[in-house]
Amino acid sequence: MLIAATESEERITTAHRAKLAYVYVRQSTAGQVRQHQESTQLQYRLVERAALLGWPRDRIEVIDDDLGNRAHRVTRAMAFSGSLPRSVWARLASC
């Protein structure tokens, strides 16, 4: 269920905005990337949503390194290489 913009804005505090906002763009296979371009674009538009909710652009991180690849391979490699903070890896691993 989507929350109305004004209700979302009321729930988001300065403490939230002090943290990075992560947008994780996901399609599991190259075929899904080709066939579901609209879905991919909608996911990228979550950057705009975060900005509208008050995150500065430089505090919005897009994670799309494994776009078109099975998540378990690439995200593990990224996590172990130190490319992702542990908290992000923990969230991705639970997906």
Side-chain angles (χ1 to χ4, degrees):
M1 178 171 110
L2 293 176
I3 299 172
T6 55
E7 188 178 334
S8 297
E9 291 168 8
E10 292 171 5
R11 292 182 179 189
I12 298 171
T13 67
T14 304
H16 291 114
R17 290 183 187 103
K19 299 176 183 180
L20 288 174
Y22 290 97
V23 175
Y24 182 47
V25 180
R26 229 11 240 130
Q27 296 291 351
S28 294
T29 66
Q32 285 181 338
V33 173
R34 284 189 306 276
Q35 294 172 6
H36 305 292
Q37 293 178 15
E38 183 178 5
S39 173
T40 303
Q41 290 306 313
L42 287 171
Q43 291 178 57
Y44 277 114
R45 278 202 254 151
L46 291 172
V47 171
E48 298 299 321
R49 177 82 169 136
L52 287 171
L53 291 171
W55 268 268
R57 296 273 178 185
D58 63 340
R59 304 284 301 155
I60 303 170
E61 179 90 20
V62 176
I63 301 170
D64 60 1
D65 297 324
D66 63 347
L67 190 60
N69 294 298
R70 302 252 181 243
H72 67 276
R73 287 186 224 143
V74 178
T75 53
R76 282 185 187 153
M78 290 169 57
F80 289 118
S81 72
S83 298
L84 291 176
R86 285 182 192 260
S87 60
V88 174
W89 167 239
R91 288 181 189 158
L92 296 178
S94 68
C95 293

